Amino acid sequence: MGRSMLLPFESCSPLTMAKRPRYFPVGPHFLRLISLLLLLGLALAACCDFRSTIDDATGPKAYRPAVVGNPIFVLEVYEYSNFDLAHAQLGQRFISMRNGDLKPIGQNYARSIILKAQTNTSLEVTADNGHKAQGKVGPTRQLKITDLCQSNDDGSYTIDGQMSCIVTGIVVRAPGN
Amino acid sequence: MAPLTPNSELTLYIGEAGLQVILDAYQRARPEEFRIVSAHYSDGDPQTTPLNLNDGEWLDYAIRISGITVDMPPPNAALHSPIPPAEDQFEIAAKLSFEFRNFADSAAIFDFTLDLWVLGKPRMVPDGTATYVMLDLVDLRIGGVGPTPLQDYLQYILSLIVKQALSRIRLPTTFNAEDVLTLVMLDLDTANDAIQVYGAIYRPSPGGS
């Protein structure tokens, strides 16, 4: 009986099996397979969870821009694939908001930012590497993330010379704040 | 004419000559808003009662605003303003004519004219998603009256009246095309003999998020 739980399948004859308790016959190869499948499942679940937190604008990875003072602005954040483009892709995925009506931003949207505001309104972005970039709106009344950071050919950009992946925070400050 | 600011999403440029045309047209269409005239004048408001001097003796009065001129920086030297407009300010110069008259006595007519300069500044006031343009009084001067204490007193009284009137003006800064887009005014200044208004197009996010 002591071996019954781990008996190899081939040692179980039809006669003896009838008198023994009916345990599911498993072997080391089968256990390895199960373990592998479990690991695979866990990895898949982790990936899905990670993607959902990145993709979902209302998920736990989303954040709202902060404002300091009483700035007047229109803020548009575009999806990752539009980073560095002209921000004029009607029908593409973007989130727009105004002062007094701030919305949650999923981190996959925060690679491409345009702030339309009065002069001397400042924009501060914080990247996932902890570095911050800041700039002020000039006579064109617009500020793009490319005015704050250096963009690279592969779509990544650098703040203080450091590569970063996503923006994790935005602060809009009214002039003089 | 100054060049428009390049690359702004929306820029509106209104020259002071254009504003003057609008103001003149408005004054012609609504002259009653540019005068306070008591009942016995031919253009008077019957509800505006003359001053009662004695029983049966009435002194009618007429205060009329004429020659209104708008000025943006750089200042118009022809206006001889003691408070010329600086950057981001505007000035309204006008003549205030006063007339007091006893219609029962044809000789009793007293009139004089004052020069008036009002210096103002537009200011944008955010209030949630709504933003308004308000006009602040920076300074006010009158000319053609003395002695100085009386001039100061009149300037003080007129300043209070103008401040009160301006505080009620709240101009809208958004223009909606429902469910399509909203034109939002972000900033305005006065320079190069014009009001320059800068705006942006606010369009709803796809899916409404």
Side-chain angles (χ1 to χ4, degrees):
Chain A
M1 288 294 287
R3 295 178 59 211
S4 61
M5 285 183 70
L6 294 173
L7 274 177
F9 181 72
E10 55 270 21
S11 66
C12 299
S13 71
L15 287 173
T16 53
M17 276 187 72
K19 295 175 183 175
R20 292 179 182 208
R22 293 190 176 192
Y23 296 108
F24 189 73
V26 287
H29 297 293
F30 189 73
L31 276 176
R32 273 192 215 109
L33 184 68
I34 293 292
S35 306
L36 201 66
L37 285 173
L38 272 172
L39 279 173
L40 212 62
L42 277 172
L44 194 67
C47 276
C48 287
D49 187 49
F50 177 72
R51 284 303 308 168
S52 68
T53 53
I54 290 285
D55 287 345
D56 184 3
T58 57
K61 286 286 184 184
Y63 65 93
R64 281 177 201 270
V67 294
V68 179
N70 222 345
I72 300 165
F73 66 89
V74 172
L75 178 69
E76 290 179 354
V77 289
Y78 287 76
E79 219 178 358
Y80 166 74
S81 59
N82 286 337
F83 177 66
D84 239 11
L85 297 183
H87 308 285
Q89 298 89 343
L90 273 171
Q92 299 292 316
R93 293 182 71 187
F94 63 91
I95 300 169
S96 60
M97 63 194 82
R98 292 171 54 191
N99 46 299
D101 184 24
L102 299 176
K103 296 170 183 170
I105 302 172
Q107 285 183 348
N108 59 324
Y109 279 81
R111 289 294 294 272
S112 181
I113 299 168
I114 180 168
L115 175 72
K116 308 167 194 177
Q118 59 190 145
T119 48
N120 292 323
T121 303
S122 68
L123 173 69
E124 180 186 282
V125 295
T126 307
D128 58 342
N129 61 7
H131 285 259
K132 289 180 180 178
Q134 193 172 20
K136 278 190 177 179
V137 175
T140 62
R141 271 73 176 177
Q142 292 183 48
L143 193 68
K144 297 175 182 176
I145 195 162
T146 46
D147 298 325
L148 309 180
C149 313
Q150 298 79 45
S151 57
N152 305 310
D153 292 338
D154 62 355
S156 63
Y157 58 87
T158 54
I159 296 175
D160 296 335
Q162 301 292 314
M163 291 288 288
S164 57
C165 182
I166 50 177
V167 169
T168 55
I170 295 175
V171 181
V172 181
R173 286 190 173 85
N177 283 272
Chain B
M1 181 180 286
L4 298 178
T5 303
N7 302 322
S8 276
E9 206 162 48
L10 289 172
T11 310
L12 183 64
Y13 184 100
I14 309 170
E16 67 180 20
L19 274 177
Q20 189 69 51
V21 170
I22 294 169
L23 197 60
D24 290 347
Y26 188 78
Q27 192 172 12
R28 273 197 302 277
R30 302 270 189 280
E32 67 277 7
E33 294 183 17
F34 294 82
R35 67 178 184 230
I36 304 169
V37 180
S38 62
H40 293 150
Y41 279 93
S42 60
D43 56 350
D45 181 347
Q47 293 176 343
T48 308
T49 314
L51 303 171
N52 189 1
L53 300 178
N54 292 305
D55 284 346
E57 294 288 341
W58 296 90
L59 189 64
D60 279 271
Y61 57 90
I63 305 169
R64 296 186 180 93
I65 304 171
S66 60
I68 300 174
T69 309
V70 181
D71 191 23
M72 309 283 172
N76 178 358
L79 295 177
H80 306 293
S81 171
I83 44 171
E87 194 90 348
D88 291 338
Q89 295 177 340
F90 66 91
E91 185 171 60
I92 295 173
K95 288 194 180 302
L96 281 179
S97 65
F98 293 81
E99 186 178 303
F100 296 92
R101 186 171 180 178
N102 182 356
F103 278 86
D105 180 358
S106 59
I109 300 175
F110 315 95
D111 61 353
F112 60 96
T113 302
L114 300 180
D115 290 315
L116 173 70
W117 298 277
V118 178
L119 192 63
K121 183 180 169 68
R123 177 168 54 103
M124 296 192 67
V125 182
D127 181 14
T129 51
T131 302
Y132 302 96
V133 173
M134 297 190 72
L135 303 174
D136 288 340
L137 177 68
V138 177
D139 203 350
L140 181 147
R141 299 289 173 87
I142 54 174
V145 65
T148 306
L150 177 63
Q151 186 182 24
D152 290 345
Y153 177 70
L154 287 175
Q155 282 175 179
Y156 175 70
I157 297 293
L158 272 174
S159 297
L160 294 180
I161 293 169
V162 172
K163 266 184 192 166
Q164 177 68 18
L166 290 180
S167 69
R168 293 177 185 169
I169 297 174
R170 295 183 101 191
L171 303 171
T173 60
T174 54
F175 307 91
N176 285 311
E178 203 167 346
D179 297 331
V180 180
L181 50 83
T182 304
L183 305 183
V184 181
M185 190 192 296
L186 297 172
D187 205 358
L188 80 163
D189 59 32
T190 59
N192 304 306
D193 291 327
I195 295 178
Q196 296 179 49
V197 180
Y198 303 94
I201 299 168
Y202 173 69
R203 51 201 168 122
S205 312
S209 62

